[in-house]
Amino acid sequence: MLRRFKGESLSSEEESDSYFPPTYIVIEFSSKIKPETAQWLVDKISKERKKGGGDLIVRSQPLNVGKNLTVHVTCGSQQLLELAEELEIRKRDRHGVLREFTMHELDDFINPSDKAELLSSSEKQTIVRHELENIRALNHEICILSYPEYPLYEGQSILSACLHYGIIKQIYPLHDEAFIRKLGSKWYSAFLSPQPYEDIRIYFGESITLYFQFLGFYTRSLIVPMLLGFLQMLLPSSFLPFFCILNIICASMFLEFWRRKCSELAYIWGTITMTSFDEPRANFRGHMGIDAVTGKLLPQAPRFQTHMKMYCVSLPLVVLCMIGAFFVMLIYFWVEDHVKQIPDVPNWFINVPGVVYAILVYVMNLVYRKFATFLTEWENHRTQSQFDRHRVTKLVLFEFVNNFMSLFYVAFIIQDIALLRYQLATLLIVLQAINNIQEAFIPLILRRFFLSESKTSKTKIEKSGKTRKANIELVGIKEIEPTDSRLDEAVSEGRLDVYEDPYDDYLELFVQFGYVFLFSAVYPMAAFWAFANNCLEIRTDAFKLCRIYQRPMARKVKDIGAWQRSFQAICALSVMTNCALLSTSPSLRAHAPDMSSTKWYLMFVLLEHLLLAARQILHYAIPDKPEWVRVALAKGNYKAKQALKQQRASKSRRKNLSNP
Amino acid sequence: MLRRFKGESLSSEEESDSYFPPTYIVIEFSSKIKPETAQWLVDKISKERKKGGGDLIVRSQPLNVGKNLTVHVTCGSQQLLELAEELEIRKRDRHGVLREFTMHELDDFINPSDKAELLSSSEKQTIVRHELENIRALNHEICILSYPEYPLYEGQSILSACLHYGIIKQIYPLHDEAFIRKLGSKWYSAFLSPQPYEDIRIYFGESITLYFQFLGFYTRSLIVPMLLGFLQMLLPSSFLPFFCILNIICASMFLEFWRRKCSELAYIWGTITMTSFDEPRANFRGHMGIDAVTGKLLPQAPRFQTHMKMYCVSLPLVVLCMIGAFFVMLIYFWVEDHVKQIPDVPNWFINVPGVVYAILVYVMNLVYRKFATFLTEWENHRTQSQFDRHRVTKLVLFEFVNNFMSLFYVAFIIQDIALLRYQLATLLIVLQAINNIQEAFIPLILRRFFLSESKTSKTKIEKSGKTRKANIELVGIKEIEPTDSRLDEAVSEGRLDVYEDPYDDYLELFVQFGYVFLFSAVYPMAAFWAFANNCLEIRTDAFKLCRIYQRPMARKVKDIGAWQRSFQAICALSVMTNCALLSTSPSLRAHAPDMSSTKWYLMFVLLEHLLLAARQILHYAIPDKPEWVRVALAKGNYKAKQALKQQRASKSRRKNLSNP
C-alpha cells in the first residue's frame, strides 16, 4: 500500500536514527494497565499495516516523567503524504483547483513560491488519528489482551474500545506553542480585527472554524435588529407590529444566507461532498463486509435498525424526559406560589425554590447529557456527522424545555410582561457575562495561581524519582530524550480539560438567539446586549481554545448540522410568540377598542400565517448554494463522468484488441 | 464526429437506395412558404453536421398528397446509435447497470436473448428531434432566407424560429399503428389491469409516463380517505375532527411518498441527474460562448437577468392578474346578489350572472395562458424543466383564484355550508363527468362521423389532382413512393390536435385534489367521487393520447416539477381550511357551549399549528430518496471520482515519462 518513489529520498534529518518527528498524538494509558496489554497496544500501533497495525512511529516518555505510562505517536513526512492520498485529502493545486491530492502529481500541488508545507498541522493530526482509529480487531481477537472481561468484535476500533473501557486514559494532540502565539496575536488579542479564519482552520480544523464563522456571521447579522431595537424605543407603541415583522424577516434572512455562506465554505474546504456513505466512525458497530458504494471491506450495519431504535425507543424516551422537565418546572412555579403565600415567611426563604430548581436543572442536564450520548451511541450511526446531528437534536429538545419553557409560562400563562422583560434582561446581561467569566477568566486565574506553581514542583518530583505507580518498560520502543521540551508539554497539557466539540458554544448562541427573537416584541434591547456579548464571546472563546483546553481533535464538517434546523425552528416559533405577544398587548388593543375580541385575535392569526408563508417563500426563493458553487460542483461531476466514460471506452477497446 | 466502425456494415436493406427507414418526424411547411426558403431549410436538415446541417435523411411527400409541402425526416440505424452516444442516452447494460451508452461497448448493451431493438421508439424520436432543433444559425445568417423581416441571431435554433414565425406549420412524429394497437389492448381497453408503464415510456417518453404514474399513485392513495369518508358518514359529528386530522395526514403522506416513488422512477429512467446545467432548450436566447460546466460552445445568458425579470416584472404582473380575477369574482357575487333581490325577476334571469361569469373565466383563462407563456419565454429559462416549472407556477396561481376562491367565499364569507356541499358535489360529480366526455368521447364521435368519411374522400381528391396551392419541388430530395402507407398516416395525423404537454391533465387532478382535501370536513364523499372519476380518467386519458391526438413529442423529466409544490401548498392550505371549517361548525360548537368564543377559536388555532408542525416533521423524517437510490447514486459518484483520479494519475505519469 505504501510505496517509496524513485529519486525521492528521505531528508537527511529523517534518516538519522535519533530524529523524532513532531508529536501528533499523545496516548496516556491508565495507571492500572497490565504491562502485556500496553506492550500489545504499542506493538499494534507500530506494526506494519498488512499485519493489522498502524505503521506509525511510537516513542515512550521516560519512566520518571508523568504519572502514567505515556507514548508519543508520530509519522514520517513521506508516509504522511502517502496516507493523505489514501484518505483523499483535497488540496488546491497550482491552478487553484481543489482536488484530491495524489503522490504522482506532487509537483502540481507544491507551490514553489510558497514555502509552507503541503499538509496543514490539523491535516497531519487527522491522518495520524485516522490511522490510530483504524487499527481494528482481527477475527481471532475476541477480547483485549489479558482482559477477558472486555470483549472485542471483528472490525472494532481497538483504541476506541480501550478508551471506552478506560484502559487508555486519554488520547490528545499537542499544542504548537509557536503557532498558537502567532494565531493568538491575530485573534484573541486583536479585539477589533477580523478573525484569521484560514489560520484557525489550519490549526483547529473545519468543525471549530465553522463555529467561529457562524459566530461572526451571526454577530454581524445582529446589527440590523439592534438598530431596529433602538428605533423601536423612540417610536410609539403603535409601530410595534412593524418592528416585529422586520425582526422576523431579519432572522429568517440570516438563516437562509448562512446556509449559502456555509455551502461556500464547505466547497472551499472540500467538505461539501461529505455524505452518510463516507467511511464509518470508529465506534460504528457492524460485521465486516463489502461496502455497497466503495467496494471496500468496512463494518456494515443495516440502516433500518438505526431507524427502528431512533423512532421506537429514543424518540419516546426523549419526549418522556421533556415532559418530565416540564413538570419539574410546573412544580417549581407551584411551590414558589405557595411559599409566597405563607404568612411571615422570611425573605431569603422565597428564593429557596428558585435555587433548588436551578440546581435541579443543572443536575438533570448533566444526567440527560450522558443519557442522550448513550442513546445516540446505541442507535449506531454510521458517520460522525450523523452521530453529532442526532445527539445534538436530542440535547436541544431538552435544553429548549429548560431554557424557554419558564419564559413561555411567564409570557402566556401568567401574562406578566414586566416580569418577562426583567427576566430577559437578567438572562441576557448578567448570565452571559457570568458565562464569559466562567468560561475563560476563572480557569485562567485558577491555573495561574494554583496549577502553574504546583506543576513545576510536581514535574520536578516526577522527574526525580519513582512516583509512577506502574513502572512498565516497553520492549522495542525507544524513549524520548529527557531534554525534549515535548515531555513537559505532554504532561502539562494532559492535565488540561478536554474540549469535546463546540456543542456548548453553539448552545449558548442558540439560547441567546431564542431570547433575542422569541420575545423581541417586549424587549427590543435584546439584540444590542446579544451583539455586545458576542463581540466579547468571539475573543473569549478563542482564548479558551488556545490557552485553557487541550488542543481539540480536528474534525471535518460541511455544515453546522442539527443547529441549522434548531435555529430555524426557533425562528418559526418566534413568528408565533411575537404575534401572540402583540395580540395580548394592552397598549395595542387600546388602538382598536371597538373591534370584537374574536376579530382581534383572528387578525393576528392571519398576520402570523402571512409571516410563516413569507418565510416559506424566502426559503424556496433563496437557493441553498450560490450560483458559482453550483457551477463548480456541476463541472466537477461532469469531468468525473467523462473520465468514467473514457475509462470504460479504453477498457472495452483493450478487450476488443485481446479478443479480435 | 460520426464514425463508422470496422467490420460493422450497414444491413443490406439499409444499403439499397430505395429503402427509406421509418419516419421519425414529419415537417409540414406553411402554405405560403417561398420555394427557396423551403429548399434552404431542407438542405440544412440534410447537410453534413460540420457545415451546420443536421445530417438527417429527408424525403418529401409527392406533390399530390396533402395540403402543404411536407417532408419526412429519418435517420439510419447506425447513425442513431452514434447520436445516442453523443447525447449520452443511458441504457441498461447486460449486467443491469444503467449507464451512458457508447458505441465501443455496443456488445455490452445488446442482450442476445432479447431481440428488441436497443433504442426505444421514443428515444429515436428524441434523437432526431434534438438534431433538428440543433440546426442553429451561423454567424452570417442574420435572418431566415428570403424573409428579412424574420431576424435570426447566432446560435438560434432555426427550426424553432421558423415554427415561431409560422413558416413551418407543424412538426410532429408519426404514430406507430402496430405498437398503439398492442399498447391499447393492455391499457385503455383493459379497464381493471395495471397500466403498462414500461410500454408507455417506450412509446410516449418519460414526461407522459410520469403523469400516468402520478395518476395511478394518486388514485390508489385516495382509497384510505374514501374509506374514512364512508366511516365518517356513519359516526356522529363529534368524531369529525379526527377524520379531518386523518385526512390531512393521508394527503401529506401521499405527497411525501410520491416524492420517493418519483425519485425511484427517475433513477431507473436515468433522468435523476438532470440539472439546470444541462443542454439549453431550443428557444433559449444568448450569445454563443464556452459553457462553464462542459466547456462546449453553447448559448450563454446570465442567470441574474432571468431572476430580475421574474421578480421585478413577472411576479407583480401575475399578482395583478390574480387580484383582477379575484375582483371579477367579487363583482359576480355582488351582481348575483342584486339580481336575486330584484322583485318579479324571471327564473332564468337569476342564472345569467353565473353564465356570464363562467364565460368570463373561460376567456380570462385563455388570455392569461398565452400571457403566462409569453412571460416565461421572455424570462428566458435555460432548460425545458425550468421553463415548464415557471410556466406552471404562473398558471397554477391564476387557476387557484378561479377554481377555489368562490368556494372560499361561500365557506368563510357567506358561511353557507349547505351551498358549499352542493357546489362541491356538482363540481366533483357533474363537471368531472362532463370533462371526461369532452376529453375523449366527443372528439372520438366527431371524428368517426365527420372526419373519417371526409378524410377518405379528401385524400383521394388530393391524390388525384393539383389541390396543393404551392407546387414546390425540392431539388436533391427524393419523393416517397406513392404507395407508401406513411403518406396517408402523415396527412390524417397532421389534422389531429396537438397534445402539448400534460399540463391540463395535471391541472384537473390539482383542482380535484383541492376539492377533496380543502373541504373534507364538510363533504366526506369527495374522495369516493374523485376515486371513481380517476379510475375512468386513467383509461380516457390513455385513449385520448393513443387515438385522439397527434403523437406527442417525448420529453425527459425527473419529477412533476411545479406540481409537487402546488399539491403541497394545497395540502398546507387544507390544514387551515379544515380547522377553520371545524371551528365554525355549529354541531361541534354545541358540544362545548360553556367555552368562551376566544378559547374555542384558539383551540383550533392550536390544532392547526400542531398539524402544520406534524407535516413539517413528516417532511424531515421521510427522506426524498429511498436508501437504495441513494446508495446507487453514491456508488456512481464514487466510481466516477475514482476514474477521474486515475485519469489524472496516468496523465501526469505520461508527462513524467516525456520529461524525465
Side-chain angles (χ1 to χ4, degrees):
Chain A
M1 199 64 94
L2 299 178
R3 295 140 295 177
R4 303 263 169 230
F5 286 88
K6 41 146 186 70
E8 292 174 24
S9 67
L10 297 172
S11 70
S12 59
E13 206 181 15
E14 281 191 37
E15 266 176 307
S16 91
D17 202 47
S18 66
Y19 175 76
F20 182 51
T23 299
Y24 294 119
I25 303 271
V26 174
I27 302 177
E28 182 178 348
F29 294 98
S30 149
S31 57
K32 289 170 201 133
I33 191 169
K34 295 180 188 160
E36 64 273 27
T37 313
Q39 183 72 47
W40 176 68
L41 283 171
V42 169
D43 285 348
K44 278 259 171 208
I45 297 171
S46 52
K47 234 192 325 204
E48 276 173 68
R49 285 174 92 196
K50 55 186 167 189
K51 292 181 183 159
D55 206 1
L56 296 165
I57 304 169
V58 182
R59 300 282 156 106
S60 71
Q61 287 192 173
L63 287 178
N64 55 352
V65 176
K67 231 168 76 191
N68 300 316
L69 175 65
T70 304
V71 295
H72 290 223
V73 182
T74 187
C75 188
S77 58
Q78 171 76 13
Q79 195 184 348
L80 274 173
L81 288 177
E82 287 163 6
L83 289 168
E85 173 174 355
E86 238 189 273
L87 293 187
E88 306 188 339
I89 284 185
R90 289 156 69 104
K91 302 295 299 182
R92 212 162 279 286
D93 67 13
R94 270 191 303 186
H95 314 289
V97 179
L98 193 80
R99 55 199 182 86
E100 276 134 30
F101 163 75
T102 53
M103 288 296 283
H104 287 295
E105 304 164 278
L106 195 57
D107 298 340
D108 259 8
F109 284 96
I110 290 175
N111 198 337
S113 69
D114 181 12
K115 288 282 170 226
E117 276 184 286
L118 184 68
L119 294 172
S120 76
S121 132
S122 70
E123 276 163 347
K124 289 178 191 165
Q125 183 210 100
T126 305
I127 292 168
V128 172
R129 184 173 52 122
H130 178 268
E131 289 309 295
L132 281 176
E133 282 179 349
N134 234 5
I135 301 172
R136 290 174 184 279
L138 305 175
N139 63 352
H140 63 269
E141 292 166 328
I142 52 163
C143 68
I144 292 171
L145 192 79
S146 302
Y147 287 94
E149 66 271 34
Y150 297 148
L152 286 175
Y153 58 85
E154 188 192 343
Q156 190 176 13
S157 165
I158 291 180
L159 267 80
S160 299
C162 289
L163 255 181
H164 178 76
Y165 295 132
I167 292 175
I168 289 177
K169 196 177 155 199
Q170 56 178 345
I171 299 181
Y172 57 96
L174 281 192
H175 269 299
D176 177 342
E177 191 53 35
F179 198 100
I180 273 286
R181 208 170 298 131
K182 218 176 67 193
L183 179 63
S185 70
K186 286 190 275 181
W187 198 16
Y188 59 77
S189 313
F191 195 79
L192 289 172
S193 61
Q195 299 185 63
Y197 293 121
E198 196 48 32
D199 287 342
I200 304 173
R201 186 169 81 91
I202 287 173
Y203 192 74
F204 288 112
E206 283 75 12
S207 163
I208 286 169
T209 315
L210 195 65
Y211 164 70
F212 282 99
Q213 285 269 12
F214 180 74
L215 177 53
F217 192 84
Y218 167 55
T219 306
R220 281 195 300 282
S221 310
L222 276 173
I223 292 176
V224 179
M226 185 175 80
L227 297 178
L228 286 175
F230 290 140
L231 204 62
Q232 185 177 339
M233 286 193 300
L234 300 175
L235 292 172
S237 71
S238 52
F239 285 92
L240 199 57
F242 299 102
F243 285 107
C244 278
I245 294 170
L246 288 177
N247 260 329
I248 285 160
I249 291 175
C250 275
S252 309
M253 296 281 264
F254 150 61
L255 289 171
E256 294 301 330
F257 280 104
W258 167 251
R259 269 195 318 168
R260 282 170 77 88
K261 169 88 180 170
C262 192
S263 71
E264 285 192 11
L265 292 173
Y267 178 77
I268 295 171
W269 296 345
T271 57
I272 203 166
T273 50
M274 281 171 74
T275 70
S276 57
F277 300 110
D278 291 348
E279 207 178 324
R281 58 195 286 268
N283 280 347
F284 182 64
R285 304 179 301 278
H287 63 96
M288 293 304 271
I290 298 294
D291 189 69
V293 173
T294 59
K296 291 177 188 166
L297 198 70
L298 288 174
Q300 306 289 327
R303 184 99 188 106
F304 77 87
Q305 270 183 6
T306 302
H307 282 147
M308 291 289 284
K309 287 174 175 174
M310 263 164 62
Y311 291 118
C312 301
V313 180
S314 298
L315 183 66
L317 286 177
V318 168
V319 171
L320 264 183
C321 289
M322 285 168 70
I323 294 173
F326 182 67
F327 274 104
V328 168
M329 187 206 75
L330 284 186
I331 292 168
Y332 151 63
F333 276 111
W334 179 81
V335 169
E336 197 181 47
D337 246 27
H338 275 253
V339 166
K340 274 184 192 158
Q341 281 159 17
I342 300 173
D344 304 325
V345 65
N347 243 342
W348 62 267
F349 196 69
I350 293 178
N351 292 323
V352 168
V355 173
V356 172
Y357 178 60
I359 294 171
L360 214 56
V361 166
Y362 182 80
V363 173
M364 286 194 309
N365 257 335
L366 272 188
V367 175
Y368 181 78
R369 202 173 277 206
K370 288 218 169 112
F371 178 63
T373 309
F374 167 78
L375 270 185
T376 319
E377 195 70 74
W378 172 73
E379 283 165 12
N380 199 20
H381 294 279
R382 186 184 156 95
T383 62
Q384 190 63 39
S385 303
Q386 285 176 316
F387 177 85
D388 286 342
R389 195 165 71 237
H390 287 102
R391 178 167 166 269
V392 167
T393 306
K394 288 186 187 66
L395 292 175
V396 161
L397 287 171
F398 194 72
E399 291 285 357
F400 180 82
V401 175
N402 283 334
N403 284 292
F404 297 118
M405 270 303 158
S406 64
L407 292 174
F408 282 144
Y409 188 84
V410 172
F412 302 114
I413 310 293
I414 314 182
Q415 300 204 357
D416 184 344
I417 299 304
L419 178 61
L420 177 64
R421 206 170 283 150
Y422 171 75
Q423 288 203 346
L424 280 171
T426 318
L427 289 169
L428 274 167
I429 305 170
V430 182
L431 262 192
Q432 286 195 347
I434 291 177
N435 246 335
N436 273 330
I437 292 170
Q438 186 193 323
E439 268 178 16
F441 298 113
I442 290 187
L444 181 72
I445 292 163
L446 279 180
R447 203 160 54 124
R448 276 279 155 85
F449 281 78
F450 294 85
L451 286 175
S452 63
E453 283 174 33
S454 64
K455 175 189 135 193
T456 41
S457 55
K458 240 187 194 167
T459 328
K460 266 181 210 155
I461 294 168
E462 281 163 9
K463 274 196 181 173
S464 66
K466 290 145 199 165
T467 45
R468 204 147 91 189
K469 287 174 193 162
N471 263 337
I472 302 171
E473 267 194 80
L474 297 170
V475 181
I477 300 294
K478 291 208 187 77
E479 273 192 5
I480 300 172
E481 303 279 305
T483 53
D484 200 318
S485 68
R486 277 176 278 182
L487 295 180
D488 270 354
E489 284 169 22
V491 172
S492 66
E493 288 179 21
R495 287 207 205 95
L496 298 178
D497 283 332
V498 180
Y499 184 84
E500 289 280 359
D501 56 21
Y503 169 78
D504 281 311
D505 297 314
Y506 277 118
L507 180 66
E508 241 178 272
L509 295 185
F510 171 75
V511 171
Q512 187 199 69
F513 185 80
Y515 291 159
V516 173
F517 289 101
L518 282 175
F519 307 100
S520 64
V522 299
Y523 189 55
M525 280 296 282
F528 165 73
W529 289 113
F531 178 79
N533 173 74
N534 287 357
C535 289
L536 195 66
E537 180 90 21
I538 292 176
R539 310 300 158 175
T540 52
D541 280 352
F543 181 77
K544 186 175 81 179
L545 272 169
C546 294
R547 294 291 172 191
I548 310 284
Y549 283 104
Q550 275 180 12
R551 180 170 178 184
M553 295 281 192
R555 258 184 209 166
K556 288 200 178 293
V557 291
K558 68 168 177 177
D559 53 28
I560 58 173
W563 292 109
Q564 179 79 35
R565 278 192 190 159
S566 308
F567 276 81
Q568 273 167 359
I570 287 286
C571 189
L573 258 183
S574 75
V575 175
M576 300 169 202
T577 51
N578 279 302
C579 287
L581 284 174
L582 288 177
S583 74
T584 54
S585 152
S587 63
L588 270 188
R589 191 72 177 96
H591 290 284
D594 304 331
M595 201 181 263
S596 83
S597 131
T598 309
K599 264 199 180 161
W600 174 258
Y601 286 117
L602 281 183
M603 200 175 76
F604 284 97
V605 170
L606 189 72
L607 172 68
E608 188 227 334
H609 281 75
L610 289 179
L611 279 173
L612 286 178
R615 265 176 53 79
Q616 198 70 27
I617 291 169
L618 271 184
H619 181 75
Y620 284 140
I622 302 177
D624 276 23
K625 301 186 187 90
E627 184 77 4
W628 75 264
V629 173
R630 281 183 294 152
V631 169
L633 284 174
K635 192 173 172 181
N637 278 340
Y638 178 78
K639 273 194 182 163
K641 245 177 54 187
Q642 294 304 316
L644 183 64
K645 239 168 82 179
Q646 213 181 324
Q647 189 189 45
R648 279 191 173 130
S650 66
K651 234 185 231 165
S652 76
R653 215 175 296 142
R654 248 174 286 142
K655 210 170 65 188
N656 286 346
L657 283 177
S658 58
N659 308 322
Chain B
M1 200 63 92
L2 300 177
R3 295 140 296 176
R4 304 260 170 232
F5 287 87
K6 44 146 185 70
E8 292 175 24
S9 67
L10 298 171
S11 71
S12 60
E13 206 181 14
E14 283 192 34
E15 269 179 305
S16 92
D17 203 46
S18 66
Y19 173 76
F20 183 52
T23 299
Y24 295 119
I25 303 272
V26 175
I27 302 177
E28 183 177 349
F29 294 98
S30 152
S31 57
K32 288 169 202 136
I33 192 170
K34 297 181 185 159
E36 63 272 27
T37 312
Q39 184 70 49
W40 176 69
L41 282 172
V42 169
D43 285 348
K44 279 259 173 208
I45 297 171
S46 53
K47 232 188 332 198
E48 277 172 67
R49 287 173 91 200
K50 55 185 168 192
K51 292 179 185 161
D55 206 3
L56 298 165
I57 305 169
V58 183
R59 299 283 156 103
S60 71
Q61 286 193 175
L63 288 178
N64 56 353
V65 176
K67 234 168 72 190
N68 299 318
L69 174 65
T70 304
V71 294
H72 290 222
V73 182
T74 188
C75 188
S77 57
Q78 172 76 15
Q79 194 183 348
L80 273 174
L81 288 179
E82 286 162 7
L83 289 168
E85 174 174 353
E86 237 188 274
L87 293 186
E88 307 189 338
I89 284 185
R90 289 156 69 105
K91 301 295 299 181
R92 212 162 280 284
D93 68 12
R94 270 191 302 184
H95 314 290
V97 179
L98 193 82
R99 54 197 181 88
E100 275 133 32
F101 164 76
T102 52
M103 287 295 284
H104 288 296
E105 303 164 278
L106 195 55
D107 298 338
D108 258 10
F109 284 95
I110 291 174
N111 196 339
S113 68
D114 180 12
K115 287 284 170 225
E117 277 184 286
L118 184 69
L119 294 172
S120 76
S121 136
S122 68
E123 276 164 346
K124 289 178 191 165
Q125 186 210 97
T126 305
I127 292 168
V128 173
R129 185 174 51 122
H130 178 267
E131 290 307 297
L132 283 176
E133 282 180 349
N134 235 4
I135 301 172
R136 292 176 182 275
L138 304 175
N139 64 350
H140 64 267
E141 292 167 328
I142 52 163
C143 68
I144 292 170
L145 191 79
S146 303
Y147 288 94
E149 68 272 34
Y150 297 148
L152 287 176
Y153 58 85
E154 188 191 344
Q156 190 175 16
S157 164
I158 291 179
L159 267 81
S160 299
C162 289
L163 255 180
H164 178 77
Y165 295 133
I167 291 174
I168 290 176
K169 198 177 154 199
Q170 57 178 345
I171 299 181
Y172 57 97
L174 281 192
H175 269 300
D176 176 343
E177 191 54 33
F179 197 100
I180 272 287
R181 206 169 301 130
K182 218 177 66 193
L183 180 63
S185 70
K186 286 191 277 182
W187 196 16
Y188 58 77
S189 313
F191 194 79
L192 289 173
S193 62
Q195 300 186 63
Y197 294 120
E198 196 47 33
D199 287 343
I200 305 173
R201 186 170 80 91
I202 287 171
Y203 192 75
F204 288 112
E206 282 76 10
S207 162
I208 286 170
T209 314
L210 196 64
Y211 165 70
F212 282 99
Q213 284 268 15
F214 180 73
L215 177 53
F217 192 85
Y218 167 55
T219 307
R220 281 195 299 282
S221 308
L222 277 172
I223 292 176
V224 178
M226 184 175 83
L227 297 177
L228 286 175
F230 290 138
L231 205 62
Q232 185 177 341
M233 287 192 301
L234 299 175
L235 291 172
S237 69
S238 52
F239 286 93
L240 199 57
F242 299 102
F243 285 108
C244 277
I245 293 170
L246 288 177
N247 260 328
I248 284 161
I249 290 175
C250 276
S252 309
M253 297 279 265
F254 150 61
L255 289 172
E256 294 301 329
F257 280 104
W258 167 251
R259 269 195 317 167
R260 282 168 78 88
K261 170 89 180 166
C262 192
S263 71
E264 284 190 13
L265 293 173
Y267 179 77
I268 294 170
W269 297 344
T271 56
I272 202 165
T273 51
M274 282 171 73
T275 70
S276 57
F277 301 110
D278 290 348
E279 209 179 323
R281 58 195 286 267
N283 280 348
F284 181 64
R285 304 180 302 277
H287 64 94
M288 293 305 269
I290 298 295
D291 190 67
V293 173
T294 59
K296 290 179 188 166
L297 199 70
L298 286 175
Q300 304 291 328
R303 186 97 189 107
F304 77 87
Q305 269 182 8
T306 302
H307 283 146
M308 290 288 284
K309 287 173 175 174
M310 264 163 61
Y311 291 118
C312 301
V313 181
S314 298
L315 183 66
L317 287 176
V318 168
V319 171
L320 265 183
C321 290
M322 285 168 70
I323 293 173
F326 182 67
F327 274 103
V328 168
M329 186 207 75
L330 284 186
I331 291 168
Y332 150 65
F333 275 110
W334 180 79
V335 169
E336 197 182 48
D337 245 30
H338 274 252
V339 167
K340 274 184 192 158
Q341 281 159 17
I342 300 171
D344 304 326
V345 64
N347 242 341
W348 63 267
F349 194 70
I350 293 176
N351 293 323
V352 169
V355 174
V356 171
Y357 178 62
I359 294 172
L360 215 56
V361 165
Y362 183 78
V363 173
M364 287 196 307
N365 258 334
L366 272 189
V367 175
Y368 181 78
R369 203 173 278 207
K370 287 215 170 118
F371 177 64
T373 310
F374 168 78
L375 270 185
T376 319
E377 196 68 76
W378 172 74
E379 284 165 11
N380 198 23
H381 293 280
R382 184 183 156 97
T383 62
Q384 189 65 37
S385 302
Q386 284 176 317
F387 177 85
D388 287 342
R389 194 167 69 236
H390 286 103
R391 178 169 166 269
V392 168
T393 306
K394 288 186 187 66
L395 293 174
V396 161
L397 286 171
F398 194 71
E399 292 284 357
F400 179 82
V401 175
N402 283 334
N403 284 293
F404 297 117
M405 271 303 161
S406 64
L407 292 174
F408 283 145
Y409 189 83
V410 171
F412 301 113
I413 311 291
I414 313 181
Q415 300 204 356
D416 185 343
I417 299 304
L419 178 61
L420 178 64
R421 207 171 281 153
Y422 172 75
Q423 286 203 347
L424 281 171
T426 318
L427 289 169
L428 273 167
I429 305 169
V430 181
L431 262 192
Q432 285 194 350
I434 291 178
N435 245 336
N436 272 330
I437 293 169
Q438 186 196 323
E439 268 178 16
F441 298 114
I442 291 189
L444 179 73
I445 293 161
L446 278 180
R447 203 158 55 123
R448 276 277 156 86
F449 281 77
F450 295 85
L451 285 175
S452 65
E453 284 175 33
S454 65
K455 175 188 133 191
T456 40
S457 54
K458 238 188 192 167
T459 329
K460 268 181 207 154
I461 294 171
E462 283 165 5
K463 275 197 180 174
S464 64
K466 291 145 200 164
T467 45
R468 203 145 90 187
K469 287 175 192 161
N471 262 339
I472 302 171
E473 268 195 78
L474 296 171
V475 181
I477 301 295
K478 293 210 185 75
E479 272 190 5
I480 301 171
E481 302 279 305
T483 52
D484 199 318
S485 67
R486 276 175 280 181
L487 294 179
D488 271 356
E489 285 169 20
V491 170
S492 65
E493 289 180 20
R495 288 208 205 93
L496 298 178
D497 284 333
V498 180
Y499 184 83
E500 289 281 358
D501 56 23
Y503 169 76
D504 281 311
D505 296 314
Y506 276 118
L507 181 65
E508 242 177 87
L509 295 185
F510 172 74
V511 171
Q512 187 200 70
F513 185 80
Y515 291 159
V516 173
F517 288 100
L518 282 176
F519 307 101
S520 63
V522 300
Y523 189 54
M525 281 294 284
F528 166 73
W529 289 113
F531 178 79
N533 172 72
N534 287 356
C535 289
L536 196 65
E537 180 89 23
I538 292 174
R539 311 300 158 174
T540 52
D541 280 351
F543 181 77
K544 185 175 84 177
L545 271 168
C546 293
R547 293 292 174 191
I548 311 283
Y549 284 105
Q550 276 180 9
R551 179 172 179 183
M553 294 282 192
R555 257 186 210 165
K556 288 199 178 294
V557 290
K558 67 168 178 177
D559 53 28
I560 59 174
W563 293 109
Q564 179 78 37
R565 279 192 190 160
S566 308
F567 276 81
Q568 272 167 359
I570 287 285
C571 189
L573 258 183
S574 75
V575 175
M576 300 168 202
T577 51
N578 278 304
C579 287
L581 284 173
L582 287 177
S583 73
T584 54
S585 152
S587 62
L588 268 189
R589 192 73 178 95
H591 290 284
D594 305 330
M595 201 181 264
S596 83
S597 133
T598 308
K599 265 200 179 158
W600 175 259
Y601 286 117
L602 280 183
M603 200 176 74
F604 284 97
V605 170
L606 189 71
L607 174 68
E608 188 226 337
H609 281 76
L610 289 178
L611 279 173
L612 286 179
R615 268 177 50 80
Q616 198 69 29
I617 291 168
L618 271 183
H619 181 76
Y620 284 140
I622 302 176
D624 276 24
K625 304 187 185 88
E627 183 77 3
W628 74 265
V629 172
R630 280 182 294 152
V631 168
L633 285 175
K635 192 174 170 178
N637 279 341
Y638 178 78
K639 272 193 182 164
K641 243 177 54 186
Q642 294 302 316
L644 183 63
K645 237 167 85 177
Q646 213 181 324
Q647 190 189 44
R648 280 192 172 130
S650 66
K651 234 185 231 165
S652 75
R653 215 175 296 142
R654 250 177 284 141
K655 211 171 63 186
N656 288 345
L657 283 178
S658 59
N659 309 320

